[in-house]
Amino acid sequence: MGLSNLRGVPDWQRRAGPATIIDGKAIAARLRQEVGREVATFTAAGGRPPGLATVLVGDDPASAVYVAAKHRACEEVGIRSFAHRLGADAPSGEVEALIDRLNADPAVSGILCQLPVPPHLDGVALTGRIAAGKDVDGLTVASAGALALGRAGLRPCTPAGVMRLLEEVGVELCGTNALVVGRSNLFGKPMGQLLLAADATVTIAHRRSKDLPLLCRRADVLIVAVGRPGLVQGSWVKPGATVLDVGINRTSDGLCGDVDFAAAAAIAGAITPVPGGVGPLTIAMLMRNTLEAARERQGSERPAVLTAE
Ligand code: NAP
């Protein structure tokens, strides 16, 4: 980063490591408190209490753990939650009928269909059935289109969480070189769109990208979401860069990310650990999206105000 680019850049970002470790757990806890206060104000002012409905099909243990964590977060921030669990052999029509009922239920502000669904079901089609205003995961075609076109809408929780982390640590994105490694619909693509909307110069890398180490070395902001432990080596990191590791990998040594944390932390300006980095922001952002959906719905339910000529 040249000297002329350093205006507005915090001190820790100007020098090469050892990196500031970004405490995602603490930032997520603050965000949940913030949402909790806003939920209380919203309902005290007569707003319909926000409600999140989850749809879990089958008995995948990891999915059950994620859904349970989402319900716990709802309880913490004062959002009502409605758990719907269907058998692993539930026919598509049954899941569709449930989503249709939830779309029509005024007590439900947000709907989340936990992925992956069993192989006989089409997760993309089921998610696509969720009404745009209740798509708190931000994954429907309507939400993705709104993001791509820069229109208002609910944004996918993990990329939105990364944006919140970047804001919290004071990273100036305008004009910066940002690299996203991974191009999934769930993370990489919306992440790229959010960075672009914040005026970063964005590159999205994937399996077919040539010379990934070089692309990484050019990145002031390096965001990795691949699902391969230690893919990004310390020597690939630009001195002083901000590194956000989205990967979650279960190994015999426990959870780890996609970045060689120890080596990268010696060079980066700031870095997220795994666990305790990006992960906790996802559920906190889901809470924020559910509140936003409730606010938006309340606004659209209000009768139009007639003004005297
Ligand atoms: P995904 O759908 O499997 O996508 C992985 C992406 O990584 C693909 O675009 C793939 O490229 C790319 N990739 C794979 N190997 C690569 C390599 N050697 N070099 C460059 N790119 C490579 O995964 P995802 O859903 O985005 O998730 C990625 C990781 O993030 C996983 O570990 C997941 O658990 C984690 N995650 C965490 C959270 C959270 O913290 N809450 C949320 C979402 C995801 P191609 O497209 O060319 O195949």
Side-chain angles (χ1 to χ4, degrees), residues 15 37 43 49 61 74 79 84 151 190 207 209 216 222 228 273 294:
R15 53 161 171 72
R37 282 194 297 273
T43 47
C74 282
I79 287 178
H84 295 271
R151 308 291 293 263
R207 234 181 276 255
S209 298
C216 290
L222 171 59
R228 286 195 49 193

Side-chain angles (χ1 to χ4, degrees), residues 218-275:
R218 286 183 180 151
D220 301 308
V221 173
L222 171 59
I223 303 174
V224 190
V226 167
R228 286 195 49 193
L231 171 75
V232 172
Q233 300 170 23
S235 61
W236 299 9
V237 172
K238 181 176 179 177
T242 303
V243 180
L244 293 115
D245 190 351
V246 183
I248 301 177
N249 305 292
R250 282 167 215 284
T251 70
S252 51
D253 294 332
L255 283 189
C256 74
D258 292 339
V259 177
D260 178 344
F261 178 79
I267 297 161
I271 188 167
T272 52
V274 178

Side-chain angles (χ1 to χ4, degrees), residues 158 181-184 186-188 205-208 212 224-228 231 246-249 258 278-279 282:
T158 308
V181 188
R183 59 172 165 183
S184 65
L186 179 69
F187 183 81
H206 46 80
R207 234 181 276 255
R208 307 268 175 164
L212 184 61
V224 190
V226 167
R228 286 195 49 193
L231 171 75
V246 183
I248 301 177
N249 305 292
D258 292 339
V278 174
T282 299

Side-chain angles (χ1 to χ4, degrees), residues 57-59 86-96 116-126:
V57 188
D59 37 30
L86 301 178
D89 55 357
S92 190
E94 189 182 342
V95 191
E96 288 167 10
V117 289
H120 69 283
L121 297 174
D122 179 347
V124 175
L126 288 173

